[in-house]
Amino acid sequence: MRIDVGSARRWVTDLLLRSGMASGPAGRTATAIVLAECWGITSHGLLRVPSYLRRLEAGGYDPDARLTTVRDTGPVVVLDGHGGLGHWQVWEAAETAAERAARFGLAAVAVSDSGHCGALGVATLPALDRGLLAVVLSHGPAAMPAWEGDRPVVSTSPIAVGVPCRPRPAIVDLSTSAVARGTVAEHASRDEPLADGWAFAADGTPTTDPHQALAGMLAPLGGAKGFALAFAVEALTAGLVGPRLSADVPDPFDPARAGEPQQVGHLLLTLDPAQLAGDGEAAVQRRLDELAARTTASGGRVPGAGRRLPHEIADDDELIVATTTWDALQASAGHLGVSAGVGGT
């Protein structure tokens, strides 16, 4: 199915509004979801909306949640998400981190008791807009075992890094598992097998069945080193920010647990190259630009540099939505009494 960007954004906003969210958070969440779709990160785009709506209705996400300040030292800010959906909360945290880093040289902003926040790369944009470098970390339900372990103990432990190189910024956005869990959910929605080496069934045996993988475990990226990196992300998010470790976070794809709060933690670190440079802002920018240029000259590509920035995306640009995702969205719209498939063809 085809739908234009503006219609998709308005449709998701309407669905979230009908689910009880205020206009500001609903609009910001819809913008993040549709931007992920535009970037080709469909595992964290429209595919996720029905599960978010189900959790909002069941009480797993509080539609009335507000983001409140627990502690503010200037460069360090701790926020409480009060069980809300994470997209808009992480965006506001990213804006705060960018503003504080511009003042202090660096900033750390934590969001506790939040929910799934979508594609982390989206949250690097407030920093990149100011010429700052951003690191965004999060976690979710446990999906990955320790190396040689027999049960999931950490999430996919995603990481995003935004680097203000020119002519286009780099946006690194990846999970520390061999594959993102949303990608497994995409395969499950289409009953498509996974690649070998991506996942394990609940009993620890390798599987290419996406349904078994969702109920089982994902392989760490790069073996033991991948798990070590995932462990570090878990420590910085679930451990440091909290309030739950990933093994205690309910699965957003499990309808039976839709009413349980996720209570995940996010951590955003933002750095101002101008204030951290030993040899001056111009020298730092020259090195970052040269890093990007050498990457391209070698025949490689700068991570995320091909992704269109928000100002480069027009409302009438077209999105192609998988039939299974479209049908699930239509069903959600019908359930909520929202006009279904506006702009779809």
Side-chain angles (χ1 to χ4, degrees):
M1 299 298 294
R2 300 173 186 271
I3 187 170
D4 63 73
V5 169
S7 295
R9 190 187 305 114
R10 288 188 293 273
W11 192 20
V12 175
T13 299
D14 288 346
L15 290 168
L16 295 172
L17 287 171
R18 189 61 63 91
S19 296
M21 290 180 66
S23 59
R28 171 44 58 193
T29 300
T31 296
I33 289 170
V34 174
L35 182 56
E37 196 78 22
C38 292
W39 283 357
I41 311 177
T42 54
S43 61
H44 288 64
L46 296 173
L47 168 80
R48 295 271 185 164
V49 173
S51 67
Y52 295 151
L53 299 175
R54 184 169 56 242
R55 291 185 59 78
L56 284 164
E57 182 177 33
Y61 294 137
D62 183 356
D64 296 317
R66 296 293 181 264
L67 195 59
T68 59
T69 302
V70 176
R71 187 176 306 108
D72 185 346
T73 69
V76 176
V77 180
V78 179
L79 304 171
D80 189 330
H82 297 284
L85 194 51
H87 304 68
W88 68 271
Q89 297 185 344
V90 167
W91 182 267
E92 289 194 14
E95 290 184 321
T96 298
E99 184 271 326
R100 299 303 176 88
R103 286 168 54 190
F104 299 107
L106 73 169
V109 179
V111 184
S112 67
D113 191 8
S114 186
H116 188 261
C117 65
L120 289 190
V122 172
T124 67
L125 294 175
L128 291 173
D129 285 344
R130 288 174 172 251
L132 308 174
L133 190 150
V135 179
V136 187
L137 309 171
S138 187
H139 74 112
M144 190 162 43
W147 188 245
E148 299 183 340
D150 62 0
R151 69 201 69 181
V153 291
V154 298
S155 76
T156 58
S157 296
I159 302 171
V161 181
V163 182
C165 49
R166 297 177 300 191
R168 300 188 64 80
I171 302 176
V172 178
D173 189 344
L174 54 84
S175 66
T176 55
S177 54
V179 62
R181 203 156 182 271
T183 301
V184 177
E186 276 192 300
H187 279 69
S189 71
R190 299 191 295 264
D191 288 320
E192 293 180 358
L194 304 175
D196 289 333
W198 279 6
F200 305 97
D203 62 3
T205 57
T207 184
T208 59
D209 184 326
H211 302 282
Q212 290 185 1
L214 282 175
M217 300 175 285
L218 301 182
L221 178 70
K225 292 181 179 179
F227 174 75
L229 183 56
F231 182 93
V233 174
E234 177 85 3
L236 289 166
T237 54
L240 187 64
V241 181
R244 287 183 172 179
L245 293 175
S246 291
D248 302 319
V249 172
D251 181 357
F253 291 118
D254 184 355
R257 303 189 69 183
E260 300 178 36
Q262 285 192 294
Q263 295 190 302
V264 303
H266 318 292
L267 181 63
L268 298 93
L269 308 171
T270 303
L271 310 173
D272 183 358
Q275 298 190 56
L276 293 175
D279 53 357
E281 179 180 6
V284 172
Q285 189 65 61
R286 185 171 60 252
R287 286 194 293 272
L288 294 177
D289 295 348
E290 185 66 16
L291 173 60
R294 292 185 183 187
T295 298
T296 303
S298 73
R301 63 180 182 86
V302 176
R307 291 173 180 161
R308 291 180 296 165
L309 300 175
H311 70 273
E312 299 169 331
I313 301 171
D315 276 359
D316 59 0
D317 285 351
E318 191 174 71
L319 295 171
I320 299 176
V321 182
T323 301
T324 51
T325 298
W326 182 266
D327 290 346
L329 286 167
Q330 296 277 38
S332 295
H335 175 69
L336 291 169
V338 173
S339 296
V342 176
T345 60

